[in-house]
Amino acid sequence: MRATLPLLFLLAGLLFSSCASYDVRREQNAAQLKGRQKVWVKTNFDDNRAMSIRIVEAFRSNGFTVDSGPLTMMPPGFQAVVEYRDAWAWDFREHLVGLDLRLLDPKTSALLATARFADPVSLLSDPSEVANRLVLELYAEKKK
């Protein structure tokens, strides 16, 4: 019995210690990404977990002028459009397991950059913190 207890703790530790990955990719036409400070977050009609609000707040807290809604409601003057796709799972409670952000040029719909979070067992990841980190990663200086 005593030998199985440490094994049980090891198994639980492995289960709850996941490796979250954040990945950012900038396209060649994203040279002037820093200058795009006015951002429109395109809302999804199936957003039942208020992810668009979290993404808007992440951009706003990082100094961006941001608004959201359907693409048809976007007024002129926005410099970037953000599309997102979120994935959720239920293990003891509902939690975010994936979030993809795509930054597009509003005039041409050309892809400027993508940012992705993936963690299949992320019971402890706060969706607002994930959105904030992805925004920071999108606009971080590219390492040489």
Side-chain angles (χ1 to χ4, degrees):
M1 181 72 154
R2 288 184 189 258
T4 58
L5 192 57
L7 185 60
L8 185 62
F9 281 122
L10 178 65
L11 221 59
L14 289 174
L15 177 66
F16 290 111
S17 65
S18 62
C19 295
S21 68
Y22 290 85
D23 181 46
V24 173
R25 180 174 176 210
R26 289 170 190 78
E27 301 300 320
Q28 289 180 343
N29 56 349
Q32 306 210 1
L33 200 58
K34 283 281 190 196
R36 297 175 188 260
Q37 295 293 311
K38 194 169 180 185
V39 177
W40 182 266
V41 176
K42 178 183 164 189
T43 56
N44 293 343
F45 292 113
D46 62 347
D47 185 359
N48 298 327
R49 295 168 190 91
M51 202 65 217
S52 66
I53 295 170
R54 292 179 171 121
I55 294 168
V56 165
E57 287 305 314
F59 273 99
R60 194 169 283 141
S61 69
N62 286 292
F64 291 84
T65 302
V66 62
D67 209 344
S68 68
L71 205 50
T72 56
M73 299 299 290
M74 181 177 71
F78 280 88
Q79 301 166 320
V81 173
V82 176
E83 293 181 341
Y84 65 94
R85 189 181 72 213
D86 52 336
W88 298 77
W90 192 89
D91 292 318
F92 306 110
R93 66 177 179 90
E94 193 170 55
H95 59 279
L96 182 68
V97 294
L99 179 61
D100 294 339
L101 298 182
R102 293 174 32 129
L103 197 65
L104 307 170
D105 183 280
K107 293 180 177 115
T108 64
S109 296
L111 182 63
L112 300 171
T114 58
R116 173 173 289 141
F117 162 79
D119 190 359
V121 288
S122 67
L123 294 173
L124 304 176
S125 295
D126 178 18
S128 296
E129 290 175 13
V130 169
N132 192 52
R133 177 155 176 199
L134 286 180
V135 169
L136 289 173
E137 297 271 341
L138 270 174
Y139 283 85
E141 286 293 324
K142 191 175 181 179
K143 294 179 182 176
K144 296 180 182 179

PDB file of all heavy atoms in Angstrom, residues 7 10 12 25 46 51 58 60 72 86 99 120 133:
ATOM      1  N   LEU A   7       3.642   6.360  -6.197  1.00  0.00           N
ATOM      2  CA  LEU A   7       3.334   6.172  -7.604  1.00  0.00           C
ATOM      3  C   LEU A   7       2.072   6.928  -7.994  1.00  0.00           C
ATOM      4  O   LEU A   7       2.002   7.537  -9.066  1.00  0.00           O
ATOM      5  CB  LEU A   7       3.179   4.678  -7.916  1.00  0.00           C
ATOM      6  CG  LEU A   7       2.964   4.318  -9.365  1.00  0.00           C
ATOM      7  CD1 LEU A   7       4.138   4.787 -10.213  1.00  0.00           C
ATOM      8  CD2 LEU A   7       2.755   2.824  -9.515  1.00  0.00           C
ATOM      9  N   LEU A  10       2.992  10.592  -8.247  1.00  0.00           N
ATOM     10  CA  LEU A  10       3.743  10.820  -9.472  1.00  0.00           C
ATOM     11  C   LEU A  10       2.818  10.866 -10.680  1.00  0.00           C
ATOM     12  O   LEU A  10       2.935  11.744 -11.538  1.00  0.00           O
ATOM     13  CB  LEU A  10       4.802   9.729  -9.659  1.00  0.00           C
ATOM     14  CG  LEU A  10       5.625   9.813 -10.935  1.00  0.00           C
ATOM     15  CD1 LEU A  10       6.476  11.076 -10.927  1.00  0.00           C
ATOM     16  CD2 LEU A  10       6.471   8.578 -11.103  1.00  0.00           C
ATOM     17  N   ALA A  12      -0.407  11.604 -10.677  1.00  0.00           N
ATOM     18  CA  ALA A  12      -1.222  12.825 -10.588  1.00  0.00           C
ATOM     19  C   ALA A  12      -0.399  14.042 -11.002  1.00  0.00           C
ATOM     20  O   ALA A  12      -0.897  14.937 -11.689  1.00  0.00           O
ATOM     21  CB  ALA A  12      -1.754  13.000  -9.174  1.00  0.00           C
ATOM     22  N   ARG A  25       3.786  33.037 -35.543  1.00  0.00           N
ATOM     23  CA  ARG A  25       4.373  33.052 -36.883  1.00  0.00           C
ATOM     24  C   ARG A  25       4.003  34.361 -37.560  1.00  0.00           C
ATOM     25  O   ARG A  25       2.831  34.725 -37.624  1.00  0.00           O
ATOM     26  CB  ARG A  25       3.831  31.883 -37.690  1.00  0.00           C
ATOM     27  CG  ARG A  25       4.404  31.851 -39.069  1.00  0.00           C
ATOM     28  CD  ARG A  25       3.979  30.627 -39.816  1.00  0.00           C
ATOM     29  NE  ARG A  25       4.504  30.742 -41.167  1.00  0.00           N
ATOM     30  CZ  ARG A  25       3.944  30.228 -42.214  1.00  0.00           C
ATOM     31  NH1 ARG A  25       2.859  29.514 -42.090  1.00  0.00           N
ATOM     32  NH2 ARG A  25       4.462  30.389 -43.402  1.00  0.00           N
ATOM     33  N   ASP A  46     -20.556  31.630 -32.513  1.00  0.00           N
ATOM     34  CA  ASP A  46     -20.648  30.511 -31.574  1.00  0.00           C
ATOM     35  C   ASP A  46     -19.796  30.723 -30.320  1.00  0.00           C
ATOM     36  O   ASP A  46     -19.437  29.783 -29.641  1.00  0.00           O
ATOM     37  CB  ASP A  46     -20.254  29.200 -32.262  1.00  0.00           C
ATOM     38  CG  ASP A  46     -18.813  29.208 -32.750  1.00  0.00           C
ATOM     39  OD1 ASP A  46     -18.194  30.282 -32.779  1.00  0.00           O
ATOM     40  OD2 ASP A  46     -18.315  28.128 -33.097  1.00  0.00           O
ATOM     41  N   MET A  51     -15.013  34.714 -25.243  1.00  0.00           N
ATOM     42  CA  MET A  51     -13.595  34.795 -25.594  1.00  0.00           C
ATOM     43  C   MET A  51     -13.292  36.104 -26.308  1.00  0.00           C
ATOM     44  O   MET A  51     -12.209  36.665 -26.124  1.00  0.00           O
ATOM     45  CB  MET A  51     -13.218  33.594 -26.458  1.00  0.00           C
ATOM     46  CG  MET A  51     -11.758  33.281 -26.450  1.00  0.00           C
ATOM     47  SD  MET A  51     -11.201  32.778 -24.810  1.00  0.00           S
ATOM     48  CE  MET A  51      -9.606  33.540 -24.777  1.00  0.00           C
ATOM     49  N   ALA A  58      -7.445  42.014 -23.656  1.00  0.00           N
ATOM     50  CA  ALA A  58      -6.001  41.779 -23.772  1.00  0.00           C
ATOM     51  C   ALA A  58      -5.352  42.839 -24.653  1.00  0.00           C
ATOM     52  O   ALA A  58      -4.302  43.390 -24.306  1.00  0.00           O
ATOM     53  CB  ALA A  58      -5.741  40.381 -24.328  1.00  0.00           C
ATOM     54  N   ARG A  60      -6.629  45.842 -25.325  1.00  0.00           N
ATOM     55  CA  ARG A  60      -6.803  47.141 -24.662  1.00  0.00           C
ATOM     56  C   ARG A  60      -5.790  47.330 -23.534  1.00  0.00           C
ATOM     57  O   ARG A  60      -5.215  48.413 -23.383  1.00  0.00           O
ATOM     58  CB  ARG A  60      -8.236  47.239 -24.127  1.00  0.00           C
ATOM     59  CG  ARG A  60      -8.627  48.643 -23.716  1.00  0.00           C
ATOM     60  CD  ARG A  60     -10.108  48.758 -23.452  1.00  0.00           C
ATOM     61  NE  ARG A  60     -10.825  48.811 -24.726  1.00  0.00           N
ATOM     62  CZ  ARG A  60     -11.981  48.207 -24.977  1.00  0.00           C
ATOM     63  NH1 ARG A  60     -12.585  47.518 -24.034  1.00  0.00           N
ATOM     64  NH2 ARG A  60     -12.558  48.308 -26.138  1.00  0.00           N
ATOM     65  N   THR A  72     -18.898  43.027 -40.844  1.00  0.00           N
ATOM     66  CA  THR A  72     -19.732  43.983 -41.575  1.00  0.00           C
ATOM     67  C   THR A  72     -19.999  45.258 -40.790  1.00  0.00           C
ATOM     68  O   THR A  72     -20.402  46.260 -41.367  1.00  0.00           O
ATOM     69  CB  THR A  72     -21.084  43.338 -41.942  1.00  0.00           C
ATOM     70  OG1 THR A  72     -21.706  42.870 -40.745  1.00  0.00           O
ATOM     71  CG2 THR A  72     -20.902  42.199 -42.917  1.00  0.00           C
ATOM     72  N   ASP A  86     -11.324  29.245 -30.624  1.00  0.00           N
ATOM     73  CA  ASP A  86     -11.018  28.698 -29.309  1.00  0.00           C
ATOM     74  C   ASP A  86     -11.525  27.266 -29.210  1.00  0.00           C
ATOM     75  O   ASP A  86     -12.488  26.888 -29.863  1.00  0.00           O
ATOM     76  CB  ASP A  86     -11.606  29.562 -28.192  1.00  0.00           C
ATOM     77  CG  ASP A  86     -13.088  29.857 -28.359  1.00  0.00           C
ATOM     78  OD1 ASP A  86     -13.584  29.817 -29.506  1.00  0.00           O
ATOM     79  OD2 ASP A  86     -13.753  30.133 -27.353  1.00  0.00           O
ATOM     80  N   LEU A  99      -6.254  28.086 -28.373  1.00  0.00           N
ATOM     81  CA  LEU A  99      -6.691  29.390 -28.864  1.00  0.00           C
ATOM     82  C   LEU A  99      -5.783  29.787 -30.018  1.00  0.00           C
ATOM     83  O   LEU A  99      -4.556  29.775 -29.884  1.00  0.00           O
ATOM     84  CB  LEU A  99      -6.620  30.450 -27.759  1.00  0.00           C
ATOM     85  CG  LEU A  99      -7.024  31.866 -28.155  1.00  0.00           C
ATOM     86  CD1 LEU A  99      -8.473  31.931 -28.616  1.00  0.00           C
ATOM     87  CD2 LEU A  99      -6.799  32.832 -26.993  1.00  0.00           C
ATOM     88  N   PRO A 120      -3.515  20.480 -24.111  1.00  0.00           N
ATOM     89  CA  PRO A 120      -4.655  19.576 -24.014  1.00  0.00           C
ATOM     90  C   PRO A 120      -5.126  19.275 -22.596  1.00  0.00           C
ATOM     91  O   PRO A 120      -6.259  18.861 -22.407  1.00  0.00           O
ATOM     92  CB  PRO A 120      -4.172  18.304 -24.710  1.00  0.00           C
ATOM     93  CG  PRO A 120      -2.716  18.426 -24.842  1.00  0.00           C
ATOM     94  CD  PRO A 120      -2.362  19.863 -24.740  1.00  0.00           C
ATOM     95  N   ARG A 133      -1.151  36.831 -23.221  1.00  0.00           N
ATOM     96  CA  ARG A 133       0.179  36.374 -23.644  1.00  0.00           C
ATOM     97  C   ARG A 133       0.264  36.268 -25.166  1.00  0.00           C
ATOM     98  O   ARG A 133       1.283  36.609 -25.761  1.00  0.00           O
ATOM     99  CB  ARG A 133       0.511  35.035 -22.998  1.00  0.00           C
ATOM    100  CG  ARG A 133       1.842  34.525 -23.490  1.00  0.00           C
ATOM    101  CD  ARG A 133       2.524  33.603 -22.574  1.00  0.00           C
ATOM    102  NE  ARG A 133       3.742  33.102 -23.196  1.00  0.00           N
ATOM    103  CZ  ARG A 133       4.372  32.030 -22.814  1.00  0.00           C
ATOM    104  NH1 ARG A 133       3.912  31.343 -21.790  1.00  0.00           N
ATOM    105  NH2 ARG A 133       5.462  31.634 -23.424  1.00  0.00           N
TER     106      ARG A 133
END
